[in-house]
Amino acid sequence: MGIEEYGGGQGPHSDVLVVTTNDIPGFHVEQVIGEVFGLTVRSRHLGSQIGASLKSMVGGELKGLTKTLVETRNQAMERLIEQARSRGANAVLAFRFDVTDASDVGTEVCAYGTAVVIARV
């Protein structure tokens, strides 16, 4: 698995800018639209669970689970961007991820932030 499979985030030409900061240098917020989020829940694959259990005995990275979590986070972020875009935003400020166990059957990943309309200063 190459390094590109472990990454995430936006492409260089996205129409909705997503940042973890509360402001963006060179821009001002014209309108605050409100909270947006993207949510996904992934079930655990029995084979990967067995493999992870075996790997945990000897140590090391659980590459299959890492790849699944990256894909899950990317899907949650895509849904956040879709929601922001559909509400008229061109940026999301204070972007965060929240990851929790979903009743021992899977992993819930929520991407959230504040949808805004920004303009260059």
Side-chain angles (χ1 to χ4, degrees):
M1 182 163 35
I3 191 67
E4 66 280 352
E5 294 181 75
Y6 290 105
Q10 296 181 274
H13 305 293
S14 179
D15 61 328
V16 177
L17 180 62
V18 179
V19 297
T20 59
T21 56
N22 293 327
D23 54 18
I24 303 168
F27 291 84
H28 72 276
V29 175
E30 291 188 334
Q31 178 186 0
V32 175
I33 295 172
E35 179 190 13
V36 289
F37 65 90
L39 181 67
T40 185
V41 178
R42 292 280 174 105
S43 64
R44 293 189 176 101
H45 182 275
L46 181 59
S48 67
Q49 285 297 99
I50 293 170
S53 297
L54 295 172
K55 183 72 170 185
S56 67
M57 290 182 206
V58 296
E61 181 180 7
L62 306 173
K63 290 184 180 183
L65 293 178
T66 299
K67 185 177 178 183
T68 298
L69 185 55
V70 167
E71 291 169 352
T72 304
R73 287 171 58 120
N74 288 343
Q75 183 178 48
M77 186 171 182
E78 288 169 11
R79 290 178 177 174
L80 166 114
I81 291 168
E82 288 172 16
Q83 186 182 53
R85 184 183 297 119
S86 73
R87 294 180 61 192
N90 64 356
V92 175
L93 303 178
F95 170 72
R96 302 287 187 268
F97 279 112
D98 185 33
V99 180
T100 58
D101 282 333
S103 303
D104 294 329
V105 296
T107 302
E108 172 190 320
V109 175
C110 183
Y112 63 95
T114 301
V116 297
V117 175
I118 58 171
R120 288 201 180 272
V121 176

